[in-house]
Amino acid sequence: MSGEVTVTGFGVRTAFGMGADALRRGVFAGVPSFAATTRFDTGPYRTAMAGVAPDGPEGVEGWALRHALARCGVEALDMAGLRAGAEAAVLLGVAGDHTSVTRYWRGDGSDGGCGSDVAGCAVPRAPEKQPVRGAGTGTERAAHAGTAAARKRVTDASPAADAERVTDASPAADAERVTDARPFNTKRVGDAVPARLAELLAGELGLVGPRLTFTNACVASAAAIIHACRLISSGRIDVAVCGGGYLVEEETFGKFDSGRALSRDGMVRPFSADRSGLLLGDGVAVVVLESAEHARRRGARPLAGVVGWGAASDAHHIAQPHPEGVGLARAARQAMRLAGDPDGDALDYVNAHGTGTKYNDGAETRGLRAAFPRRAESIPVSSTKSTTGHLLEAAGVVEFVITMLALTDGVLPPTAGFTAPDPECDLDYVPNEPRRTGPRRALTVNAAFGGANTALVLERP
């Protein structure tokens, strides 16, 4: 590498709540977040369970995905000490917010003029933002006063803030009186376009620089981080704001249900013999990456170093990994070579993809054995999807944050719900209880449909 990459800020939201302490109370305590969701009618599906935030206007689902991303972005910039208006690339892993599309077609295709409904109650929608002008020119870019201004914009755009401005004569007041039969406002349908969410996030945070969106399924936000690391290490940019988001909604829930991938008993048991499938979960996170030199110049505190990254495809099957974990092993070896430790001699922990499905867990175990033939049995491996659920496009960045917290706190998160071991899954999976070990270096891996695999190596500063 020609330049070191460091993490200087993050914001994260899962079903456990906002911030690192929520992750400590849930993920690191081994407490699953799964509950029956009331965001949509789950009657037609095999399960109602998901890793969702508490239902109601104050929960994550009361925000559009754009607002959840913006809130995490503000938290990340605040922690990093970066002002809005800074030069920073924005790279996002997301498939778009399809809630409005589902509601639009579930209606009659007309514009009912109402906001989103939560558990049968309409929530006034946020006012539409004007597109960010002059994204590619210097003359039209607006420099903002600071992250306080960005925070005010996020607050002003939230459904709760909009509700405070409701009067009996306003359209939002009419929205409060509508029922589930009314379709969602067509203007929100545009949020289903992934690139729009990256543009909106950059605009909300007042950041000036290139914007890129990655849509490669469950490695999307990890791919965004990898691309940012390449840009920073090559000297092409100094700062990148990387994020990803998924909030449980019916469009994707129905697809996973029809593929019989969802667990029927409301638990996710990665690497266990009786594992029966995955459950979806809420996940949104944003991290600030910088060149180490840039962070030093401005006196920023490094939270972790990103010392290796890799990406590979096994091109085996559209929905199943290669049974020997070929692509995952290749990505992990790339990352470890870049970190200067090809055999993983200094590796203290692996945050696994660990979906709890029949095909993934055995293949991933074999892939890790192939990547680290001498050390695989001695490296602790855990799946935090056992507590958060599968966060889809957000999995990479949320698990990146979890892995970073494992390094800073000196505690390994457990694989919750672990029961009888599967003969095909024979590594140390940190079953059910957190483990205090003081790790210095950790690897986080993800896999996706189409055979895509990513690996990131983090190191305690």
Side-chain angles (χ1 to χ4, degrees):
M1 288 188 299
S2 61
E4 298 175 355
V5 181
T6 188
V7 187
T8 55
F10 69 89
V12 61
R13 180 76 193 238
T14 64
F16 297 110
M18 188 80 189
D21 285 343
L23 291 177
R24 293 181 179 110
R25 291 191 301 269
V27 173
F28 284 83
V31 179
S33 62
F34 309 122
T37 181
T38 58
R39 293 180 190 176
F40 48 86
D41 179 13
T42 57
Y45 306 119
R46 295 178 179 84
T47 182
M49 304 296 280
V52 293
D55 286 322
E58 299 305 315
V60 173
E61 69 281 5
W63 298 49
L65 182 55
R66 60 161 75 177
H67 300 308
L69 285 164
R71 181 175 177 183
C72 287
V74 168
E75 293 288 331
L77 291 186
D78 278 351
M79 188 181 296
L82 282 173
R83 296 174 63 85
E87 289 275 353
V90 174
L91 298 92
L92 192 61
V94 70
D97 186 346
H98 292 276
T99 305
S100 55
V101 176
T102 302
R103 288 173 179 161
Y104 176 72
W105 290 114
R106 279 276 174 91
D108 57 5
S110 65
D111 184 354
C114 64
S116 67
D117 59 290
V118 177
C121 300
V123 176
R125 62 181 173 84
E128 289 294 320
K129 296 288 183 182
Q130 293 298 316
V132 177
R133 297 184 60 199
T137 68
T139 57
E140 292 184 319
R141 292 171 182 154
H144 300 276
T147 50
R151 184 185 294 107
K152 183 177 187 301
R153 286 196 303 278
V154 173
T155 302
D156 288 347
S158 72
D162 201 36
E164 291 175 359
R165 294 190 289 271
V166 170
T167 66
D168 288 341
S170 71
D174 290 337
E176 291 182 338
R177 293 189 285 270
V178 301
T179 67
D180 281 352
R182 297 290 299 277
F184 194 70
N185 190 289
T186 53
K187 293 181 180 179
R188 187 69 75 216
V189 172
D191 284 8
V193 180
R196 174 176 168 84
L197 291 175
E199 184 74 10
L200 287 169
L201 178 61
E204 290 285 2
L205 300 179
L207 297 176
V208 177
R211 294 97 187 258
L212 293 171
T213 302
F214 295 78
T215 60
N216 44 342
C218 309
V219 300
S221 54
I225 293 172
I226 289 171
H227 192 68
C229 288
R230 289 169 173 161
L231 293 174
I232 292 170
S233 67
S234 64
R236 283 177 280 180
I237 63 173
D238 287 321
V239 183
V241 174
C242 299
Y246 173 73
L247 302 180
V248 175
E249 40 68 53
E250 190 173 10
E251 169 83 7
T252 303
F253 192 95
K255 290 174 180 176
F256 275 83
D257 179 79
S258 66
R260 300 181 183 272
L262 300 181
S263 170
R264 296 289 300 275
D265 61 7
M267 291 294 292
V268 180
R269 301 184 186 87
F271 307 110
S272 294
D274 59 348
R275 64 189 185 277
S276 61
L278 60 87
L279 291 172
L280 300 178
D282 288 341
V284 182
V286 174
V287 296
V288 177
L289 305 180
E290 299 184 55
S291 70
E293 177 57 32
H294 185 270
R296 280 192 293 268
R297 284 201 307 267
R298 63 183 196 85
R301 181 175 72 91
L303 304 177
V306 188
V307 296
W309 49 85
S313 175
D314 53 41
H316 169 71
H317 188 275
I318 187 61
Q320 298 173 15
H322 190 286
E324 299 301 318
V326 171
L328 185 139
R330 188 179 298 123
R333 285 194 295 264
Q334 284 180 20
M336 296 306 299
R337 281 197 301 269
L338 194 59
D341 183 20
D343 297 322
D345 291 334
L347 188 61
D348 300 311
Y349 169 62
V350 176
N351 185 286
H353 190 58
T355 59
T357 57
K358 174 185 176 182
Y359 291 107
N360 176 89
D361 296 1
E364 185 167 10
T365 297
R366 289 185 284 274
L368 290 174
R369 280 192 170 277
F372 309 110
R374 291 194 297 106
R375 288 211 59 222
E377 293 181 1
S378 63
I379 303 172
V381 177
S382 70
S383 169
T384 52
K385 290 181 179 70
S386 60
T387 55
T388 64
H390 199 331
L391 314 177
L392 302 185
E393 290 79 17
V397 66
V398 173
E399 290 163 14
F400 180 93
V401 171
I402 291 169
T403 304
M404 183 170 60
L405 288 176
L407 296 176
T408 57
D409 291 356
V411 178
L412 304 184
T415 300
F418 191 86
T419 54
D422 187 326
E424 291 189 348
C425 303
D426 54 359
L427 301 179
D428 175 6
Y429 298 114
V430 195
N432 297 316
E433 299 290 335
R435 186 181 301 173
R436 187 168 292 278
T437 65
R440 275 201 66 82
R441 180 174 279 191
L443 171 72
T444 177
V445 294
N446 290 102
F449 287 156
N453 299 270
T454 57
L456 288 150
V457 184
L458 286 81
E459 189 171 81
R460 195 170 70 220

